[in-house]
Amino acid sequence: MQGAASALMQAFKAAFASDDTDWDRIQYGMYVYGGAGVSGWGSLCGVPNACIAVLNLMGLHGALGSSVMGWVSETPIPTPALADLYYDDTGYGPSDYTYPKQPIANEDVLARTVSNSPLCHVAVSKFLYVAGIHQGTVGPTGYGIRPDRCAKLVGDAAAYTAELINYYALNGNDRDPYSVSAETAACQTCHQSKSLELGPAINGIMDCSECHTPGAFHVANKLIIEDVWTEDGSGNPKDTFTAGDTIVAKVKFAVLGAGMAYVKTVKSKVRGPCGKIMPCKNAGDLGNGIHTWDWSGTVPGGCAGKAKVVMELKSFDSPGGLLISDVKAIHKFTIV
Amino acid sequence: MKRDPDLSRRNFLKGTVMGAGALTAGVAGGLVLPGTAHAKTPPSFPLPYCRDSLGNPTSTPAADNQPILDPDDVRVMGWYYYTVGGNG
């Protein structure tokens, strides 16, 4: 993180050196924490973290940050650009500057991998796997192959961020506005941020398939009881009944995921202070979505006190088949 | 922006009328909260990222602005910093 942030900060400090701007007050050492995915955890790659942190200093993180995240996730890394500059362009070659390391030449790069993720763990592990190396493998220039990749990524992403900034300065908008992949967009047609109706709710726009494999997770496999309640005979919610009243017990539940699930009630009943008032039995093959079941009966006389609806639902992959989900809920009411 | 040496903590407490007043009030009247003269002035955001048509630093986009970053310079600097410090 420190490398990409320092490169962009130094560029601004140098460009405005004679202008007495507040770039002079920004310290270089602020971003060391983000290296290797924040304290070595392999979470958010320090490179986009750094680029967007610097964009934040200019108030551009909202306008350009998503493009940086997308570029890092979807670009084959390392790009050949740094090695091209080093080996082909005399302006940046070893005869022009003294460098501590020598980049691996493009013809010797073992892999250029698309991470489909901004996570350090995902990106680096994928690179190591495709290249067939481990973290300590050294390349032909004497520099480690993994750090060679990450060093080039630092330069590549910082340069890309510089291009976005230059474009924004002239046009006031993002040159490469990011949009999610078609596959992720398809996932989001069901998995929405503010709804459970068609599947678990989501947060963020990361590529889904990098971590989630379509298939097993998408069998209708989970039940959620959204509500259990009681009503009178006219459809009005009611929690206090007297002898002779019609009582309707209702359960509203969601079947999540695509496909069909066999759902049945288990030991579900309306129970009063003197015992069971009525059983709540039902079963059926249900698809993805919200379902409501109800049972109707009459409140018996001579038995006032606390009562409840006990609801337990189980789902199976087929009638008599494998148990997939088991959920319970209770609704309390009063008989006077 | 450079710090005004006249507003430094040392001068503030040492010689000025305000400094003497603050010390007196601090001894006689309990806690005296430091005024702005004690604080370092923080950077003002957003920082500029280009020059306007007159060559002044600006953070307002415009078609006649002058971008200031050389992406290849930034690329080589980023690569260099990583190879020196091993931190992305």
Side-chain angles (χ1 to χ4, degrees):
Chain A
M1 185 174 185
Q2 181 71 2
S6 297
L8 288 163
M9 288 161 56
Q10 180 174 326
F12 282 115
K13 286 170 182 279
F16 290 131
S18 61
D19 293 281
D20 199 20
T21 70
D22 280 359
W23 280 104
D24 295 336
R25 296 174 179 270
I26 306 299
Q27 301 298 310
Y28 279 116
M30 294 188 293
Y31 300 121
V32 177
Y33 77 92
V38 183
S39 300
W41 270 63
S43 64
L44 174 59
C45 171
V47 178
N49 199 354
C51 294
I52 297 168
V54 177
L55 287 174
N56 184 38
L57 300 176
M58 297 168 277
L60 298 180
H61 55 290
L64 306 179
S66 194
S67 292
V68 175
M69 295 286 280
W71 186 89
V72 168
S73 301
E74 297 176 354
T75 302
I77 300 296
T79 80
L82 188 282
D84 282 344
L85 287 173
Y86 183 90
Y87 290 107
D88 301 339
D89 185 336
T90 55
Y92 294 100
S95 61
D96 303 293
Y97 298 97
T98 300
Y99 296 115
K101 304 291 182 185
Q102 183 180 351
I104 296 174
N106 284 327
E107 59 269 27
D108 294 327
V109 169
L110 296 178
R112 302 186 192 278
T113 49
V114 177
S115 63
N116 288 320
S117 169
L119 301 182
C120 169
H121 150 70
V122 174
V124 171
S125 298
K126 184 177 288 186
F127 173 80
L128 296 175
Y129 176 75
V130 175
I133 61 168
H134 58 73
Q135 291 270 16
T137 307
V138 176
T141 66
Y143 191 32
I145 295 176
R146 199 279 306 156
D148 178 81
R149 171 214 176 266
C150 293
K152 288 172 178 171
L153 169 61
V154 168
D156 289 341
Y160 175 76
T161 303
E163 293 172 5
L164 292 183
I165 294 168
N166 285 346
Y167 184 90
Y168 189 89
L170 296 172
N171 300 281
N173 54 41
D174 187 353
R175 189 191 68 182
D176 303 329
Y178 178 73
S179 56
V180 299
S181 67
E183 186 177 21
T184 297
C187 297
Q188 292 174 346
T189 59
C190 291
H191 297 281
Q192 300 169 7
S193 61
K194 294 183 177 178
S195 171
L196 282 173
E197 190 163 351
L198 298 175
I202 61 162
N203 178 42
I205 57 174
M206 286 175 61
D207 188 276
C208 300
S209 61
E210 190 55 38
C211 297
H212 300 282
T213 304
F217 289 104
H218 284 72
V219 174
N221 67 347
K222 187 167 183 179
L223 293 175
I224 291 177
I225 293 179
E226 297 202 339
D227 199 8
V228 178
W229 72 102
T230 48
E231 295 179 351
D232 62 16
S234 302
N236 303 307
K238 183 177 178 181
D239 285 334
T240 302
F241 294 85
T242 58
D245 282 351
T246 296
I247 180 171
V248 179
K250 303 187 82 165
V251 58
K252 182 180 180 182
F253 60 97
V255 177
L256 303 181
M260 300 295 289
Y262 180 70
V263 182
K264 66 179 293 187
T265 58
V266 180
K267 300 176 184 175
S268 299
K269 55 180 133 345
V270 178
R271 183 181 178 85
C274 301
K276 184 163 66 178
I277 295 175
M278 64 178 177
C280 299
K281 288 187 176 180
N282 204 351
D285 287 313
L286 300 177
N288 176 289
I290 302 291
H291 304 274
T292 302
W293 285 349
D294 59 75
W295 300 267
S296 181
T298 302
V299 176
C303 206
K306 294 180 179 178
K308 59 187 174 183
V309 179
V310 179
M311 185 59 55
E312 180 176 359
L313 300 177
K314 290 185 177 181
S315 66
F316 302 84
D317 61 353
S318 61
L322 181 68
L323 174 65
I324 297 172
S325 191
D326 183 353
V327 291
K328 300 175 185 175
I330 289 176
H331 170 73
K332 296 180 179 179
F333 63 98
T334 305
I335 299 173
V336 295
Chain B
M1 295 168 63
K2 292 177 180 172
R3 188 187 311 165
D4 183 351
D6 290 332
L7 295 180
S8 71
R9 178 186 178 89
R10 186 178 174 192
N11 286 338
F12 175 73
L13 292 175
K14 219 171 158 185
T16 67
V17 174
M18 285 177 64
L23 284 174
T24 304
V27 172
L31 178 66
V32 176
L33 294 175
T36 54
H38 285 274
K40 292 180 179 176
T41 306
S44 179
F45 298 113
L47 297 176
Y49 50 82
C50 61
R51 296 185 185 281
D52 64 17
S53 59
L54 300 176
N56 299 312
T58 182
S59 57
T60 302
D64 56 358
N65 277 345
Q66 305 166 50
I68 58 169
L69 297 178
D70 181 327
D72 280 340
D73 274 354
V74 172
R75 186 188 315 274
V76 173
M77 277 193 283
W79 173 77
Y80 171 82
Y81 277 124
Y82 184 92
T83 59
V84 170
N87 188 308

